[in-house]
């Protein structure tokens, strides 16, 4: 539990409490707090539970993560618990966009709530984005054409899964499939699930129980890393592609 001593001191400091006041609030002695913060002893499970309840942070996060690398505002309240959500800022305290590289996307499932994993990702700043926490995710395959394989979707973090808007596209992190980019339909009221659908109708839609959804990110913009060729930019090619996907584009048809 190498992180626990630093975490106790860090979280106590964020609350601007002396060791004596902190000990009083937990019903401990000041010497016990000092021994934990100085690494002379480690808290047993009952005191870890005290800390978890006091800070409203799960025990595994208190033990496994170095919370000094996360902003206090990167804890998101979910019910009666606080879940660690690491974000990074620049020297002006402005949020930066972490870029999940294609080679590292497979590891995102294991590292999405780990400040050390997030810290090592490359960052960019896009000043035109709306307010909120954004991250850039790599796109693989052809299930969401015209977004190409190799493109990046910049998406805004969704704090409440109930806020999913039917028919919008989202980056979805699930326990079973990791990262996927799909069009999402909210079936929470009826089935406690989300339906994930590809724009390429060669892929069948499927449902995911909401307890398997770890993160949701709503599409903000797309960054293409490849140039579109001349054929792809012709109106006839664009219309043919959408017709294959069975998407109605009345406005485009009128323009044609």
């Amino acid at each position: 539990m190498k992180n626990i001593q630093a975490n106790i001191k860090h979280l106590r400091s964020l609350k601007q409490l002396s060791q004596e006041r902190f000990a009083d609030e937990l019903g401990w002695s000041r010497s016990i707090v000092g021994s934990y913060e100085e690494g002379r002893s480690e808290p047993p499970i009952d005191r870890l539970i005290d800390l978890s309840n006091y800070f409203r942070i799960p025990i595994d996060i208190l033990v496994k993560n170095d919370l000094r690398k996360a902003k206090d505002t990167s804890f998101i309240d979910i019910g009666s618990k606080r879940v660690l959500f690491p974000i990074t800022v620049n020297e002006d305290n402005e949020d930066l966009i972490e870029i999940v590289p294609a080679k590292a996307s497979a590891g995102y499932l294991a590292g999405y709530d780990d400040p050390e994993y997030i810290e090592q990702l490359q960052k960019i700043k896009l000043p035109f984005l709306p307010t909120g926490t954004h991250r850039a995710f790599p796109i693989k395959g052809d299930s969401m054409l015209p977004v190409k394989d190799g493109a990046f979707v910049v998406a805004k973090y969704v704090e409440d899964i109930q806020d999913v808007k039917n028919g919008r596209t989202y980056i979805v992190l699930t326990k079973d499939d990791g990262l996927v980019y799909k069009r999402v339909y909210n079936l929470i009221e009826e089935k406690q699930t989300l339906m994930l659908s590809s724009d390429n109708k060669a892929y069948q839609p499927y449902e995911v129980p909401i307890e398997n959804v770890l993160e949701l990110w709503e599409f903000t913009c797309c960054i293409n890393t490849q140039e579109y060729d001349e054929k792809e930019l012709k109106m006839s090619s664009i219309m043919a592609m959408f017709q294959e996907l069975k998407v109605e584009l009345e406005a485009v048809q009128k323009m044609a």
Side-chain angles (χ1 to χ4, degrees):
M1 295 194 292
K2 64 179 182 178
N3 291 314
I4 192 65
Q5 68 181 77
N7 288 339
I8 293 173
K9 185 175 182 179
H10 174 64
L11 294 170
R12 175 178 64 78
S13 299
L14 288 176
K15 285 186 169 288
Q16 299 181 329
L17 297 174
S18 66
Q19 283 188 350
E20 186 172 358
R21 174 69 185 282
F22 181 55
D24 286 343
E25 295 208 2
L26 286 170
W28 300 352
S29 67
R30 192 205 62 76
S31 61
I32 286 175
V33 174
S35 70
Y36 295 159
E37 291 188 356
E38 293 161 19
R40 289 184 279 112
S41 62
E42 292 182 343
I45 186 63
D46 59 328
R47 292 212 169 107
L48 285 175
I49 292 171
D50 288 343
L51 290 167
S52 175
N53 291 336
Y54 181 77
F55 291 116
R56 293 190 296 127
I57 297 172
I59 291 175
D60 63 329
I61 288 177
L62 284 170
V63 173
K64 291 193 306 182
N65 298 280
D66 184 348
L67 302 183
R68 294 171 298 177
K69 297 182 179 181
K71 287 177 30 177
D72 184 48
T73 51
S74 66
F75 290 97
I76 293 175
D77 289 327
I78 300 180
S80 61
K81 287 289 184 184
R82 299 181 93 201
V83 175
L84 178 65
F85 182 76
I87 57 177
T88 52
V89 296
N90 63 13
E91 61 275 8
D92 297 319
N93 207 39
E94 298 171 310
D95 288 351
L96 297 175
I97 299 169
E98 298 96 3
I99 304 172
V100 181
K103 289 183 179 178
S105 62
Y108 187 81
L109 179 59
Y112 73 98
D113 63 349
D114 183 352
E116 293 183 12
Y117 172 85
I118 300 302
E119 177 66 26
Q120 70 184 0
L121 298 177
Q122 291 185 343
K123 290 108 185 152
I124 58 171
K125 180 184 175 185
L126 295 178
F128 58 81
L129 293 179
T131 56
T133 299
H134 291 78
R135 196 163 285 169
F137 297 91
I139 301 303
K140 297 179 181 179
D142 61 352
S143 69
M144 291 298 287
L145 294 172
V147 178
K148 285 187 167 188
D149 182 275
F152 282 81
V153 163
V154 178
K156 178 181 176 181
Y157 184 73
V158 178
E159 293 191 21
D160 189 345
I161 197 170
Q162 301 283 347
D163 293 337
V164 169
K165 304 176 183 72
N166 279 327
R168 298 279 185 90
T169 60
Y170 293 83
I171 296 288
V172 187
L173 178 68
T174 68
K175 293 177 183 177
D176 297 329
D177 298 328
L179 287 172
V180 295
Y181 175 49
K182 299 293 180 184
R183 199 167 295 279
V184 177
Y185 297 88
N186 189 336
L187 304 179
I188 297 174
E189 232 178 82
E190 311 96 279
K191 299 183 175 182
Q192 291 293 295
T193 66
L194 297 178
M195 178 178 284
L196 308 187
S197 177
S198 301
D199 285 350
N200 185 341
K201 298 309 175 186
Y203 299 89
Q204 293 297 313
Y206 60 97
E207 293 182 28
V208 176
I210 58 172
E211 64 265 22
N212 287 349
V213 177
L214 301 173
E215 284 186 350
L216 271 175
W217 299 77
E218 185 176 3
F219 175 93
T220 297
C221 67
C222 179
I223 301 172
N224 281 312
T225 57
Q226 305 170 45
E227 185 178 13
Y228 283 96
D229 62 36
E230 186 180 357
K231 290 180 181 177
E232 291 175 308
L233 292 175
K234 285 183 179 178
M235 181 61 72
S236 58
S237 298
I238 294 171
M239 287 180 62
M241 177 189 67
F242 278 111
Q243 285 168 355
E244 286 177 9
L245 300 178
K246 299 179 182 177
V247 175
E248 294 181 6
L249 290 180
E250 295 179 3
V252 174
Q253 289 172 349
K254 289 176 182 176
M255 288 172 58

